[in-house]
Amino acid sequence: EVLAGYEATAFAYGQTGTGKTYTMEGELDSDVGRGLVPRTAQAIIDRLTRGKYADYSISCSYLEIYNEDLTDLLVPAHIQAPKLHLKDVGNGKGVVCSGLSEVPVRSLSDILDLVRIAQDRRHVAETRINARSSRSHCIFTLKVKCRRLVAAGELENSGKL
């Protein structure tokens, strides 16, 4: 439905140590052990590259919320990241995070590289249940813009996951 212009959300919720991060990310270096984010990204890329679409672009963002602070996990470490703010922009667009970077990607490999960067930058700490427990909440966003040929010309859609 993302390719039809809809916005979709997958949400993992649960107690510490129950596998929320694993469910979403999985084992990035294993085809069978990948989580929801890489599997869904691959499915979207597969659909886009089958030839039905005249043109498309994909971008990713990765936001961390830790102790009420917002962090862009994809800003290179040597760059001073701008202060992030949540705003309701109106016009039916809802709440956005102003200043959050969007990184263009073309392949699953590009997306996996970004997830690895984000994993290295997340706040983690040891708990009784898990030696590297995520101490934050994260929002990974995949934005897709695509154009396809239809009988009356071209149809352009923008969707988000």
Side-chain angles (χ1 to χ4, degrees):
E1 298 301 313
V2 171
L3 300 181
Y6 290 93
E7 295 187 9
T9 301
F11 187 79
Y13 178 79
Q15 185 176 342
T16 297
T18 57
K20 298 174 296 294
T21 301
Y22 185 80
T23 297
M24 298 304 279
E25 296 175 358
E27 299 170 21
L28 300 179
D29 296 323
S30 164
D31 288 341
V32 296
R34 288 189 180 136
L36 188 61
V37 168
R39 288 174 186 266
T40 305
Q42 184 65 62
I44 289 171
I45 291 168
D46 287 348
R47 291 271 313 271
L48 287 168
T49 57
R50 282 195 197 139
K52 180 178 174 183
Y53 295 90
D55 189 29
Y56 68 90
S57 65
I58 306 170
S59 63
C60 297
S61 62
Y62 219 136
L63 173 67
E64 177 184 50
I65 305 168
Y66 176 70
N67 287 339
E68 299 185 25
D69 290 326
L70 306 174
T71 303
D72 187 335
L73 294 175
L74 301 182
V75 170
H78 65 280
I79 294 178
Q80 176 70 29
K83 180 88 171 139
L84 302 177
H85 300 282
L86 294 178
K87 295 181 183 179
D88 185 349
V89 293
N91 297 331
K93 294 187 178 187
V95 177
V96 298
C97 184
S98 64
L100 184 64
S101 66
E102 290 183 15
V103 179
V105 295
R106 292 298 290 176
S107 67
L108 179 61
S109 177
D110 293 345
I111 294 168
L112 294 177
D113 289 344
L114 293 178
V115 173
R116 285 183 188 96
I117 289 168
Q119 285 176 337
D120 289 342
R121 295 184 179 159
R122 279 193 78 177
H123 286 87
V124 295
E126 186 171 345
T127 67
R128 291 184 313 193
I129 299 171
N130 187 348
R132 279 191 45 87
S133 178
S134 304
R135 299 287 84 208
S136 62
H137 303 283
C138 285
I139 301 169
F140 175 84
T141 304
L142 187 74
K143 288 187 179 180
V144 180
K145 293 181 182 180
C146 55
R147 286 185 306 123
R148 64 183 169 104
L149 301 175
V150 294
E154 288 185 345
L155 178 64
E156 183 171 296
N157 289 322
S158 295
K160 233 190 313 189
L161 176 64

